[in-house]
Amino acid sequence: MFTGGMRESQQDTIELKGLSARGLKHIIDFAYSSEVTLDLDCVQDVLGAAVFLQMVPVVELCEEFLKSAMSVETCLNIGQMATTFSLSSLKESVDAFTFRHFLQIAEEEDFLHIPLERLVFFLQSNKLKNCSEIDLFHAAIRWLRHDESRRAKASSVLCHVRFPLMRSSELVDSVQTVDIMVEDVLCRQYLLEAFNYHILPFRQHDMQSARTLIRSDAVSLITFGGTPYTDNDRTVSNKVYRLPDITSRQFKELTEMEVGCSHACDRGAR
């Protein structure tokens, strides 16, 4: 730029667009001392300067700092930095943290400003930990109500909430009473699907869909009850067995049900 015959070599003043003075100062200090002092107030400026000037060691230091500083309060902001500067490793850390603490993060003000695509990314995932579907529904509704223009996207968001897995009382008391569920045609269909799933338990095996899949990133098989259903034996079992994974060759007996059952089906148990 300065010695290769480019126009900057003839200028007295050169504007480095995309760099802040604070970020550049940290880069210059690092060039002389091999040290950089970071905090949440300055790290975005430093990271922006390091990416712009291709100072890989400083970028790596910023990434490590942000990973160590991740919390419920900072997670979404750090995720935005990871996206802005195309830091895949940092983004993976943010996603993993969000999956573990989604409901807490959903209470933060920053949650209301995440893009639609990010919200859908989390809601459709099987990696969400310790989240009931009714709590995910409330989080989604909170996001939708923050901006009136989002209501048009209600079905695109709520199609990833697994209504059939809610309790009947939750569907009646907390879901069908929400205006969005009544006014949006597709959302009404999601609610009807859930009611049918509860009303017709013996036909659930024919109603399987993405919304009836239990949230889990571990695949296993669980059997509930059953009956020989022969002329001589029509007893219904209350036994529960689990096959931990596809490589296992032996079922493990779990706690028995209080009442036996048969002719029911579900998928994706953990």
Side-chain angles (χ1 to χ4, degrees), residues 48-191:
V51 170
F52 183 85
L53 297 172
Q54 299 181 30
M55 294 287 287
V56 176
V58 180
V59 173
E60 292 174 346
L61 288 171
C62 289
E63 281 193 86
E64 291 306 312
F65 169 78
L66 289 170
K67 288 178 182 179
S68 67
M70 203 172 305
S71 68
V72 169
E73 294 77 16
T74 63
C75 179
L76 294 178
N77 187 40
I78 292 174
Q80 184 58 48
M81 281 189 264
T83 300
T84 299
F85 299 113
S86 302
L87 304 175
S88 58
S89 175
L90 181 59
K91 183 178 181 299
E92 289 175 3
S93 296
V94 169
D95 289 348
F97 186 91
T98 305
F99 284 131
R100 292 195 303 271
H101 304 282
F102 183 82
L103 293 180
Q104 295 166 275
I105 293 170
E107 294 295 323
E108 295 295 314
E109 181 69 19
D110 286 345
F111 175 78
L112 299 175
H113 304 286
I114 64 172
L116 170 66
E117 295 75 16
R118 286 292 284 168
L119 178 61
V120 168
F121 170 75
F122 292 116
L123 287 180
Q124 69 184 3
S125 176
N126 286 325
K127 296 181 180 180
L128 286 170
K129 305 297 183 184
N130 304 315
C131 297
S132 68
E133 295 302 319
I134 190 64
D135 287 334
L136 294 177
F137 171 73
H138 288 316
I141 291 296
R142 180 170 178 256
W143 184 89
L144 287 167
R145 284 176 168 168
H146 179 69
D147 184 341
E148 190 67 24
S149 66
R150 293 175 179 174
R151 295 175 74 97
K153 300 290 186 180
S155 61
S156 300
V157 173
L158 296 175
C159 67
H160 301 292
V161 176
R162 304 179 187 186
F163 295 103
L165 302 186
M166 294 183 186
R167 297 186 180 92
S168 298
S169 58
E170 292 171 339
L171 293 170
V172 172
D173 298 333
S174 302
V175 177
Q176 74 169 0
T177 55
V178 175
D179 54 352
I180 292 175
M181 297 301 297
V182 176
E183 296 167 3
D184 188 285
V185 175
L186 287 176
C187 290
R188 288 204 302 270
Q189 292 182 8
Y190 305 150
L191 188 56

Side-chain angles (χ1 to χ4, degrees), residues 166-226:
M166 294 183 186
R167 297 186 180 92
S168 298
S169 58
E170 292 171 339
L171 293 170
V172 172
D173 298 333
S174 302
V175 177
Q176 74 169 0
T177 55
V178 175
D179 54 352
I180 292 175
M181 297 301 297
V182 176
E183 296 167 3
D184 188 285
V185 175
L186 287 176
C187 290
R188 288 204 302 270
Q189 292 182 8
Y190 305 150
L191 188 56
L192 179 61
E193 173 192 45
F195 280 133
N196 288 340
Y197 196 78
H198 282 265
I199 292 170
L200 302 170
F202 295 117
R203 289 170 57 182
Q204 287 180 356
H205 59 283
D206 287 329
M207 301 180 185
Q208 297 299 303
S209 70
R211 282 183 290 277
T212 63
L213 187 65
I214 294 173
R215 289 188 191 270
S216 174
D217 53 0
V219 178
S220 60
L221 175 66
I222 297 181
T223 66
F224 297 86

